[in-house]
Amino acid sequence: MIRAGIVGGTGYTGVELLRILALHPEVAVSAVTSRADAGQRVDKLYPSLRGLCDAAFSLPEIDNLAACDVVFFATPNGTAMQMAADLLARGVKVIDLSADFRIKDVAEWEKWYGMQHASPELITEAVYGLPEVNREAIKQARLIACPGCYPTAVQLGFLPLLENGLVDTQYLIADVKSGVSGAGRKAEISSLMSEAGESFKAYAVAGHRHLPEIRQGLQLATSESVGLTFVPHLTPMIRGIHATLYARLRGGADLQALFEQRYQNEAFVDVLPAGSHADTRNVRGSNRCQIAVHQPQGGDTVVILSVIDNLVKGASGQAVQNMNLLFGLPEQQGLETVALYP
Amino acid sequence: MIRAGIVGGTGYTGVELLRILALHPEVAVSAVTSRADAGQRVDKLYPSLRGLCDAAFSLPEIDNLAACDVVFFATPNGTAMQMAADLLARGVKVIDLSADFRIKDVAEWEKWYGMQHASPELITEAVYGLPEVNREAIKQARLIACPGCYPTAVQLGFLPLLENGLVDTQYLIADVKSGVSGAGRKAEISSLMSEAGESFKAYAVAGHRHLPEIRQGLQLATSESVGLTFVPHLTPMIRGIHATLYARLRGGADLQALFEQRYQNEAFVDVLPAGSHADTRNVRGSNRCQIAVHQPQGGDTVVILSVIDNLVKGASGQAVQNMNLLFGLPEQQGLETVALYP
Amino acid sequence: MIRAGIVGGTGYTGVELLRILALHPEVAVSAVTSRADAGQRVDKLYPSLRGLCDAAFSLPEIDNLAACDVVFFATPNGTAMQMAADLLARGVKVIDLSADFRIKDVAEWEKWYGMQHASPELITEAVYGLPEVNREAIKQARLIACPGCYPTAVQLGFLPLLENGLVDTQYLIADVKSGVSGAGRKAEISSLMSEAGESFKAYAVAGHRHLPEIRQGLQLATSESVGLTFVPHLTPMIRGIHATLYARLRGGADLQALFEQRYQNEAFVDVLPAGSHADTRNVRGSNRCQIAVHQPQGGDTVVILSVIDNLVKGASGQAVQNMNLLFGLPEQQGLETVALYP
Amino acid sequence: MIRAGIVGGTGYTGVELLRILALHPEVAVSAVTSRADAGQRVDKLYPSLRGLCDAAFSLPEIDNLAACDVVFFATPNGTAMQMAADLLARGVKVIDLSADFRIKDVAEWEKWYGMQHASPELITEAVYGLPEVNREAIKQARLIACPGCYPTAVQLGFLPLLENGLVDTQYLIADVKSGVSGAGRKAEISSLMSEAGESFKAYAVAGHRHLPEIRQGLQLATSESVGLTFVPHLTPMIRGIHATLYARLRGGADLQALFEQRYQNEAFVDVLPAGSHADTRNVRGSNRCQIAVHQPQGGDTVVILSVIDNLVKGASGQAVQNMNLLFGLPEQQGLETVALYP
């Protein structure tokens, strides 16, 4: 049995880890921390977990976590970088769902995240936890930087095009729509149902923190310089991300076959039949990315539709997928759930 | 391996059966019928099932179903009663999710459902599939009449009061709110998102088909005459039923203890701690009923809050729970999912 | 031109007053206060008002308000009672949308609202602003206590029954469902779309602050003692209240005719034809209350359905209706909008 | 008083016309037709109009409409082209909200709409009813082809760029998101709340009927050849369209000033301050288009956000704006409503 700890168990990615791990046959959650709710039973805050989680929240202290085999950070940015080194030193593997170790260029990270990095020496070691790109490195890692939700949907959609040099990399457009759970479980007026419900808007058009992360991931897939416009939007639903990706083709190719081939061995990436549209409801609650490939009117613009559940493949499910790889378990273990439709 | 057939696989209770059974370790779905979509792959209509269901829809004919060990009817009312006798004669167990065998009084059934019953001789044999009341009979049955969604939530909430003679049975009120999936996957204007979204209404106040079913179930729990006012409402969400039940107490009692004791051995009925409110999101996608007990201002009116997912404990999950009992499997097998929160 | 001031212009009832008054031909909004946003243009916070409101938020100080003919308090409870006396002394009429002057029994008010009342001497003078009951008194008033949203829907539904002695007043039940805007524009986790969306729950079953207000209003309509169970619920939509009211009839009566007669001269109460159901969408954005009367299966339980828009007839629209009466304007002026369907 | 007729009064654009015209001081609706509901009172189907519309639906026959000064077609495609010639011959002006007269190239129209055009001779005469482009022609017209909802949002966003030759016209991208009321009041499974709620998807990526209409409108604004990729999406809300438009800039320009200048005299186009995001809720129920202009990271990609209410500025409001122009009324008459926020 793997003993898992969760730091930051009261946010949406934290409770989603609890939901997934509750049924994982090889994992026991031995510590769930929350500074604000320490001492309270987890299932009092989350009655959906009654009978499935016997724990109480504890303080996020190293001693409460050092007995774990692996610790997940489901915390705001800036926490994992404070605690990771100590945990690694005690032999605990670390899977960080926050952004602390995602960007290799420290200066770039500090610019976008507005703070000084506390553990720059760990950034190089950290493995970017996108299994469809880094599977072998993940298996050997001590420290995993789980991708952001937007970056997961966008990279999985663009990668086959860039890896094969099929598009003009200078003019990529990612128009991406997210459900409101992406904003987290924070008391903010903009996330109220009266504000976010029955309305649609773009935000952070001038620049969103996931832009450098996506750019870094795409850049690794091509030797050419990447120019990317990324516009995130808020859509009135709870879960789901839909990325609509645009690129200009350089020449002809059987794009459908290319995508199917690229992901044929991936359990969690499903290329839909030609002519399909991807619908976020079909991955709700599951760890799957579904992708549809289009070339409207046979023109030179390719349109990729890529959908995930932001809390699963975009966060906690992908974190468990990484954990499975880290510990030599079957990659799908504990993740075989079916999307909740309708 | 139990071979299961599903008649009416294209409605919401049908696809919900497919979702649940896809992960049931002891069941293989060997036939899924749909008159309208016969020949089409199931996962073309329901991309959420890609990789999990290899079947195509077949015609709803006895010969396609006779090789099954059990057949679920996820059909409109009036279908199961046409086919049940033939299947039973061939040794196939039948679990009917429609209303065909729920009401013991044939004349009453025919009045509310507006058609002549095709198999009145089977009504007596049929066991009402509410395991919390009929567990032993279910284990021995050939034909199960699964309760309706409203009746499940209402009966589980009222039963402890009636079984113990604690309330005036003449003046029971059930104010119940359902998500829109309860109306089924039918092309009707009233179920359009533009009509049902961002709005709330009561319907069928003059009389809803679930009224006689609830009344019959409550009547079995008491020797006194039952007077019930049942008002169903449509609430702008997809899944979930919230029953708010009112009754006048006859005397003092520790209601919280009473409810906890009544359901202490029930895996799928969870009595919340005193002072709690039940929230439909906490049972979304799960087979659980959560119940909260209140006596406002210590007065003589008891208020029970009872929530279920109408498609799971209110339909397909309860059907699988019945199947487990029928075949001697652990009652919870295949139903250990965690509610999808948020 | 009436010069109107709004104290607390950043909440939902404040911005709703601005929406309504923007098109009122006899009113100019001359002051809008907000402590937090003082100095900022109103239409920067509320781009829906661009071109319709030239004001900036000012501090909520008497001197900024004394030049007004009328001041609306769209504030949390406890503010209006601090400022009303000063404004009245300067000849300014006061319309309070908060609860400060609604309850005549000071001790009762202090128990439910958890603070000491700052102006108990004004409570007697304050007129409860339900025009369908108090029209003549409103016309003469200096200080109006606007009813709460739940109390408006419940009283308009119950009053014809109580005024005519038709029901057992000891056992009234009000099962009421509200959209989330009723919780106000406050940064609270429970009002996040991820929490309140796609879910339904009761709250404050043990006792809600609107209970004594409703009880007081009903008590004034009957000489008998009133026993009321009031259960509020949160439903996943933004605007709207649906009250489902239950009472036991004492004898026969033509309830439909009775309701139609009671409200035949009321511009904002619309009794629907017999057999109708009331739907909150049909009053969304309008100042109308729609009521449907039912007597299921001809039994002795009457069921009244009463719907309003909580921000209009339940708050700001009713406040403007009161203002029209106070200033001798046509009661409907500025309130002739049509509900926004779909 | 202008006598107006509405053909197809039971769809969403029909009832929206009724909502707007109910308060228009210069218009009396003298005929509302519906083949399916002929004989029924309008306010029985639409209780939101009780007291505001005394009409009953009549059959869509020329004789019922010939006494009107103007007839609106709120019908499916293919109806207006059958009746327009007769009405024009009788001196009735025609405002068509369907697509029958929008496309000047008959063959192109017939290809996309899959039927033969019944009145090709009227296509040349029809004026495309986008007042921000065609105001003077509209004033002189007999027959107006109201723009589609997507084309309105997209054209208003792109026009200033194309009219000034600022972008590469070969590679325009319009990623547009619509609420579900755009699909109309039709009983279709894909529009059920259980299907369209809590989910997001693109549709018709291979080619949507509004593509040739948008292309035609953009082509008129530039002498260069237009290459456009248009991807429509369905977002889980009732009203609203959000267009996110991408183009590659040719050189530097003060885009904010350019947009403000282009629309400075337009009552219904509102260019938001620099740095703003446009939110569909801020135009809900109003005839306004709000536009925000962005140039992320100062790069060479311009991003325009353009929002409308699809049923108002995208359909019935724009139709009334056209009517005002046709009859020499103030352009804003009857359209001064404020968006319904929240």
Side-chain angles (χ1 to χ4, degrees):
Chain A
M1 238 18 194
I2 297 166
R3 290 159 301 170
I6 300 173
V7 184
T10 60
Y12 290 138
T13 55
V15 67
E16 186 72 352
L17 280 168
L18 287 164
R19 180 179 78 88
I20 295 169
L21 295 177
L23 301 181
H24 195 299
E26 299 293 336
V27 178
V29 175
S30 54
V32 190
T33 80
S34 163
R35 199 171 293 281
D37 292 287
Q40 193 176 39
R41 280 184 63 88
V42 169
D43 64 4
K44 181 152 190 346
L45 197 61
Y46 296 122
S48 57
L49 294 169
R50 283 170 56 85
L52 294 154
C53 176
D54 205 41
F57 293 110
S58 56
L59 285 172
E61 290 167 358
I62 296 292
D63 288 342
N64 291 336
L65 298 163
C68 296
D69 298 306
V70 61
V71 166
F72 295 91
F73 282 87
T75 43
N77 302 314
T79 298
M81 68 183 184
Q82 305 284 354
M83 298 173 70
D86 278 359
L87 288 169
L88 293 173
R90 300 227 199 163
V92 182
K93 302 215 173 197
V94 171
I95 299 178
D96 179 21
L97 283 77
S98 83
D100 287 8
F101 298 103
R102 291 179 192 158
I103 308 276
K104 294 299 178 189
D105 180 332
V106 185
E108 181 85 353
W109 188 90
E110 294 183 339
K111 186 184 84 176
W112 285 93
Y113 288 89
M115 49 182 132
Q116 200 180 347
H117 203 289
S119 299
E121 74 286 357
L122 287 176
I123 294 177
T124 311
E125 178 184 350
V127 174
Y128 189 68
L130 193 61
E132 292 77 9
V133 173
N134 282 342
R135 183 167 286 110
E136 293 313 312
I138 291 166
K139 290 179 181 173
Q140 313 302 327
R142 291 194 309 162
L143 170 59
I144 303 282
C146 275
C149 50
Y150 287 125
T152 297
V154 175
Q155 289 176 83
L156 292 175
F158 267 139
L159 284 178
L161 297 173
L162 270 67
E163 290 168 352
N164 292 280
L166 294 176
V167 296
D168 177 354
T169 62
Q170 282 293 316
Y171 195 39
L172 305 173
I173 290 174
D175 187 290
V176 196
K177 303 85 175 172
S178 175
V180 296
S181 62
R185 194 167 166 276
K186 281 174 295 190
E188 291 178 332
I189 283 181
S190 62
S191 299
L192 298 181
M193 182 160 174
S194 297
E195 301 288 313
E198 280 295 300
S199 195
F200 189 94
K201 66 169 179 183
Y203 68 101
V205 180
H208 183 282
R209 288 169 170 184
H210 285 174
L211 174 62
E213 180 185 343
I214 300 171
R215 212 158 38 193
Q216 168 183 281
L218 298 182
Q219 192 62 72
L220 290 169
T222 174
S223 57
E224 302 174 68
S225 160
V226 168
L228 171 70
T229 300
F230 164 55
V231 176
H233 301 74
L234 199 64
T235 186
M237 62 188 188
I238 297 175
R239 286 172 179 250
I241 281 184
H242 184 291
T244 314
L245 309 175
Y246 302 87
R248 199 183 293 203
L249 288 165
R250 280 176 170 149
D254 183 343
L255 299 175
Q256 179 71 25
L258 180 86
F259 272 75
E260 289 180 0
Q261 193 176 345
R262 172 62 175 85
Y263 292 123
Q264 62 186 342
N265 296 320
E266 293 296 342
F268 296 116
V269 182
D270 177 23
V271 179
L272 297 171
S276 302
H277 295 93
D279 194 319
T280 63
R281 72 179 182 204
N282 292 327
V283 298
R284 181 167 49 214
S286 93
N287 195 49
R288 195 179 266 186
C289 175
Q290 287 191 328
I291 293 178
V293 183
H294 288 267
Q295 197 174 342
Q297 293 100 49
D300 66 352
T301 298
V302 56
V303 179
I304 305 296
L305 316 174
S306 168
V307 299
I308 59 170
D309 182 322
N310 54 304
L311 296 179
V312 193
K313 184 61 177 165
S316 306
Q318 186 146 265
V320 173
Q321 187 181 356
N322 275 285
M323 182 204 73
N324 286 339
L325 290 169
L326 266 181
F327 288 88
L329 302 173
E331 192 168 336
Q332 304 184 51
Q333 200 164 45
L335 295 167
E336 302 97 339
T337 52
V338 189
L340 194 69
Y341 161 85
Chain B
M1 235 21 190
I2 297 167
R3 290 159 299 171
I6 299 174
V7 182
T10 60
Y12 290 139
T13 55
V15 67
E16 187 72 354
L17 280 168
L18 287 165
R19 180 180 78 89
I20 295 169
L21 294 177
L23 302 180
H24 195 297
E26 300 293 336
V27 178
V29 175
S30 54
V32 190
T33 80
S34 163
R35 200 171 294 280
D37 292 286
Q40 194 175 39
R41 280 184 63 88
V42 170
D43 64 4
K44 180 151 191 346
L45 197 62
Y46 296 123
S48 57
L49 293 171
R50 283 171 57 85
L52 294 154
C53 176
D54 206 40
F57 292 110
S58 55
L59 285 172
E61 291 168 358
I62 296 291
D63 288 344
N64 290 335
L65 298 163
C68 295
D69 299 304
V70 61
V71 166
F72 295 92
F73 282 88
T75 43
N77 303 314
T79 298
M81 68 184 184
Q82 306 284 353
M83 298 173 71
D86 279 359
L87 288 169
L88 293 173
R90 300 226 200 164
V92 182
K93 303 216 173 198
V94 171
I95 300 178
D96 179 20
L97 285 75
S98 84
D100 287 7
F101 298 103
R102 291 180 192 158
I103 309 277
K104 294 299 178 189
D105 180 332
V106 184
E108 180 86 352
W109 188 90
E110 294 183 340
K111 184 184 85 177
W112 286 92
Y113 288 90
M115 49 183 133
Q116 200 180 348
H117 203 289
S119 299
E121 74 287 356
L122 288 176
I123 293 178
T124 311
E125 176 182 352
V127 175
Y128 189 68
L130 193 61
E132 292 76 9
V133 172
N134 281 342
R135 183 167 287 109
E136 294 313 312
I138 292 166
K139 290 179 183 173
Q140 313 302 327
R142 292 193 309 161
L143 170 59
I144 302 282
C146 275
C149 50
Y150 286 125
T152 297
V154 174
Q155 290 177 83
L156 292 176
F158 267 139
L159 284 178
L161 298 173
L162 270 67
E163 290 168 351
N164 292 280
L166 293 176
V167 296
D168 178 354
T169 61
Q170 282 293 317
Y171 194 39
L172 304 174
I173 290 174
D175 187 291
V176 196
K177 302 86 176 172
S178 174
V180 296
S181 62
R185 193 168 168 276
K186 282 174 294 191
E188 291 178 332
I189 284 181
S190 61
S191 300
L192 296 181
M193 181 160 174
S194 296
E195 302 288 314
E198 281 294 302
S199 195
F200 189 94
K201 66 170 179 183
Y203 67 102
V205 179
H208 184 282
R209 288 170 172 184
H210 285 175
L211 174 63
E213 180 185 343
I214 301 172
R215 212 158 39 193
Q216 169 183 280
L218 297 182
Q219 192 62 71
L220 290 169
T222 175
S223 58
E224 302 174 67
S225 159
V226 168
L228 171 70
T229 300
F230 164 54
V231 176
H233 301 75
L234 199 64
T235 186
M237 61 189 188
I238 297 174
R239 285 172 179 249
I241 280 184
H242 185 291
T244 313
L245 309 175
Y246 302 87
R248 198 183 292 203
L249 288 165
R250 280 176 170 149
D254 183 343
L255 299 175
Q256 179 71 26
L258 181 86
F259 272 76
E260 289 181 0
Q261 193 176 345
R262 173 62 175 84
Y263 292 123
Q264 62 185 343
N265 295 320
E266 293 296 342
F268 295 117
V269 183
D270 177 23
V271 180
L272 297 171
S276 302
H277 295 92
D279 194 321
T280 62
R281 72 180 182 204
N282 292 327
V283 298
R284 181 167 50 215
S286 93
N287 195 48
R288 194 180 266 185
C289 174
Q290 287 191 328
I291 292 178
V293 183
H294 288 266
Q295 197 174 343
Q297 294 100 49
D300 66 352
T301 298
V302 56
V303 179
I304 305 295
L305 315 174
S306 168
V307 298
I308 59 170
D309 182 321
N310 54 304
L311 295 179
V312 193
K313 184 61 177 165
S316 306
Q318 187 147 264
V320 172
Q321 187 182 354
N322 275 286
M323 181 203 73
N324 286 339
L325 290 169
L326 268 181
F327 288 88
L329 302 172
E331 192 167 337
Q332 303 183 52
Q333 200 163 44
L335 295 167
E336 303 96 339
T337 52
V338 189
L340 195 69
Y341 161 86
Chain C
M1 245 5 201
I2 297 166
R3 290 159 301 172
I6 299 173
V7 183
T10 59
Y12 291 139
T13 56
V15 67
E16 186 72 353
L17 280 168
L18 287 165
R19 181 179 78 88
I20 295 169
L21 294 176
L23 301 180
H24 195 297
E26 299 293 336
V27 177
V29 174
S30 54
V32 190
T33 80
S34 164
R35 201 171 292 281
D37 293 287
Q40 194 176 38
R41 280 184 63 88
V42 169
D43 64 4
K44 181 151 189 346
L45 197 60
Y46 296 122
S48 58
L49 294 169
R50 282 170 57 85
L52 295 155
C53 176
D54 206 39
F57 293 109
S58 56
L59 285 171
E61 290 167 358
I62 297 292
D63 288 343
N64 289 337
L65 298 163
C68 295
D69 299 305
V70 61
V71 166
F72 294 90
F73 282 87
T75 43
N77 302 314
T79 299
M81 69 183 184
Q82 305 283 353
M83 298 174 70
D86 279 0
L87 288 168
L88 292 173
R90 301 229 199 162
V92 181
K93 302 215 175 197
V94 170
I95 299 178
D96 180 20
L97 284 75
S98 84
D100 287 7
F101 298 104
R102 290 178 193 159
I103 309 277
K104 294 299 178 189
D105 180 332
V106 185
E108 180 86 351
W109 188 90
E110 294 183 339
K111 185 184 84 177
W112 285 93
Y113 289 91
M115 49 182 133
Q116 199 180 351
H117 203 290
S119 299
E121 73 288 356
L122 287 176
I123 293 177
T124 311
E125 178 183 351
V127 175
Y128 189 68
L130 193 60
E132 291 76 8
V133 172
N134 282 340
R135 183 167 286 109
E136 293 313 311
I138 291 165
K139 291 179 180 171
Q140 313 302 326
R142 292 194 308 162
L143 170 60
I144 302 282
C146 276
C149 49
Y150 286 125
T152 296
V154 175
Q155 289 177 83
L156 292 175
F158 267 139
L159 284 177
L161 297 174
L162 271 67
E163 289 169 352
N164 293 280
L166 294 176
V167 295
D168 177 355
T169 62
Q170 283 292 318
Y171 195 38
L172 304 173
I173 290 174
D175 186 292
V176 197
K177 302 85 177 173
S178 174
V180 296
S181 62
R185 194 169 166 276
K186 281 172 296 191
E188 291 177 332
I189 283 181
S190 61
S191 300
L192 297 182
M193 182 160 175
S194 296
E195 302 287 315
E198 280 294 303
S199 195
F200 189 93
K201 67 169 178 184
Y203 67 102
V205 180
H208 184 282
R209 288 169 171 183
H210 284 175
L211 174 64
E213 180 184 343
I214 300 171
R215 211 158 40 192
Q216 169 183 281
L218 297 182
Q219 191 62 72
L220 290 169
T222 175
S223 58
E224 302 174 68
S225 161
V226 168
L228 171 70
T229 300
F230 164 54
V231 177
H233 302 74
L234 199 65
T235 185
M237 61 188 189
I238 297 175
R239 287 171 178 251
I241 281 183
H242 184 292
T244 313
L245 309 175
Y246 302 87
R248 199 184 293 204
L249 287 164
R250 280 177 170 148
D254 183 343
L255 299 176
Q256 179 72 24
L258 180 89
F259 271 76
E260 289 180 2
Q261 193 176 344
R262 172 61 176 85
Y263 292 123
Q264 65 186 340
N265 296 320
E266 293 297 341
F268 295 116
V269 182
D270 177 23
V271 179
L272 297 172
S276 302
H277 296 93
D279 193 321
T280 64
R281 73 181 182 203
N282 291 327
V283 299
R284 181 166 51 214
S286 93
N287 195 49
R288 195 179 266 185
C289 175
Q290 288 191 327
I291 292 177
V293 182
H294 288 266
Q295 197 174 343
Q297 294 100 48
D300 67 351
T301 298
V302 55
V303 179
I304 307 295
L305 316 174
S306 168
V307 298
I308 59 171
D309 182 322
N310 55 305
L311 295 178
V312 193
K313 184 61 176 166
S316 305
Q318 187 147 265
V320 172
Q321 187 181 355
N322 275 286
M323 183 204 73
N324 285 340
L325 290 169
L326 267 181
F327 288 89
L329 302 173
E331 193 168 335
Q332 303 183 53
Q333 201 163 42
L335 295 167
E336 302 97 340
T337 51
V338 189
L340 194 70
Y341 161 85
Chain D
M1 233 27 187
I2 298 166
R3 289 160 301 172
I6 299 174
V7 183
T10 58
Y12 290 139
T13 56
V15 67
E16 187 73 354
L17 280 168
L18 288 164
R19 182 180 77 90
I20 295 169
L21 295 176
L23 302 179
H24 195 298
E26 300 293 335
V27 178
V29 174
S30 54
V32 191
T33 80
S34 163
R35 201 170 293 279
D37 293 286
Q40 193 175 39
R41 281 185 62 88
V42 169
D43 63 4
K44 182 151 189 347
L45 197 60
Y46 296 122
S48 57
L49 293 170
R50 282 170 56 86
L52 294 154
C53 176
D54 206 40
F57 293 108
S58 55
L59 286 171
E61 290 167 359
I62 295 292
D63 288 342
N64 290 335
L65 298 164
C68 295
D69 299 304
V70 61
V71 166
F72 294 90
F73 282 87
T75 42
N77 302 314
T79 298
M81 68 184 185
Q82 306 284 354
M83 298 173 70
D86 279 359
L87 289 168
L88 293 173
R90 301 228 199 161
V92 182
K93 303 215 174 197
V94 171
I95 300 178
D96 179 20
L97 284 76
S98 83
D100 287 8
F101 298 104
R102 291 179 192 158
I103 308 276
K104 294 300 178 189
D105 180 332
V106 184
E108 180 86 353
W109 188 90
E110 295 183 339
K111 186 185 82 175
W112 285 92
Y113 289 90
M115 50 183 133
Q116 198 180 351
H117 203 289
S119 298
E121 73 287 356
L122 287 176
I123 294 178
T124 311
E125 178 184 350
V127 175
Y128 188 68
L130 193 61
E132 292 76 9
V133 172
N134 281 342
R135 182 167 286 110
E136 293 313 311
I138 291 166
K139 290 179 182 173
Q140 313 302 326
R142 292 194 308 162
L143 171 58
I144 303 282
C146 275
C149 50
Y150 286 124
T152 297
V154 175
Q155 289 176 83
L156 291 175
F158 267 139
L159 284 177
L161 298 173
L162 271 67
E163 290 167 352
N164 291 280
L166 294 176
V167 296
D168 177 355
T169 61
Q170 283 293 319
Y171 195 39
L172 305 173
I173 290 175
D175 187 291
V176 197
K177 301 87 177 173
S178 175
V180 295
S181 62
R185 193 168 168 277
K186 280 173 296 191
E188 291 177 332
I189 283 181
S190 61
S191 299
L192 298 182
M193 181 159 174
S194 297
E195 302 288 314
E198 281 293 303
S199 194
F200 188 94
K201 66 169 179 184
Y203 67 102
V205 179
H208 184 281
R209 289 170 171 182
H210 285 175
L211 174 64
E213 180 184 343
I214 300 171
R215 210 157 42 192
Q216 169 183 279
L218 297 182
Q219 192 62 71
L220 290 169
T222 175
S223 58
E224 302 173 68
S225 160
V226 168
L228 170 70
T229 300
F230 164 55
V231 176
H233 302 74
L234 198 64
T235 185
M237 61 189 190
I238 297 174
R239 285 172 179 250
I241 281 183
H242 184 292
T244 313
L245 309 175
Y246 302 86
R248 199 184 292 204
L249 288 165
R250 280 175 169 147
D254 183 343
L255 299 175
Q256 179 71 25
L258 179 88
F259 272 75
E260 289 180 1
Q261 193 175 345
R262 172 61 176 85
Y263 292 123
Q264 63 185 342
N265 295 321
E266 293 297 341
F268 295 117
V269 183
D270 177 23
V271 180
L272 297 171
S276 301
H277 296 93
D279 194 322
T280 63
R281 73 180 182 204
N282 291 327
V283 299
R284 181 167 49 214
S286 93
N287 196 48
R288 196 179 266 184
C289 175
Q290 287 191 327
I291 292 177
V293 182
H294 288 266
Q295 198 174 344
Q297 295 102 47
D300 66 352
T301 298
V302 55
V303 179
I304 306 295
L305 316 174
S306 169
V307 298
I308 59 170
D309 183 321
N310 55 304
L311 295 179
V312 193
K313 184 61 176 166
S316 306
Q318 188 147 265
V320 172
Q321 187 181 355
N322 275 287
M323 181 203 73
N324 286 339
L325 290 168
L326 267 182
F327 288 88
L329 302 173
E331 192 168 337
Q332 303 183 51
Q333 201 163 44
L335 295 168
E336 303 97 339
T337 52
V338 189
L340 194 69
Y341 161 86

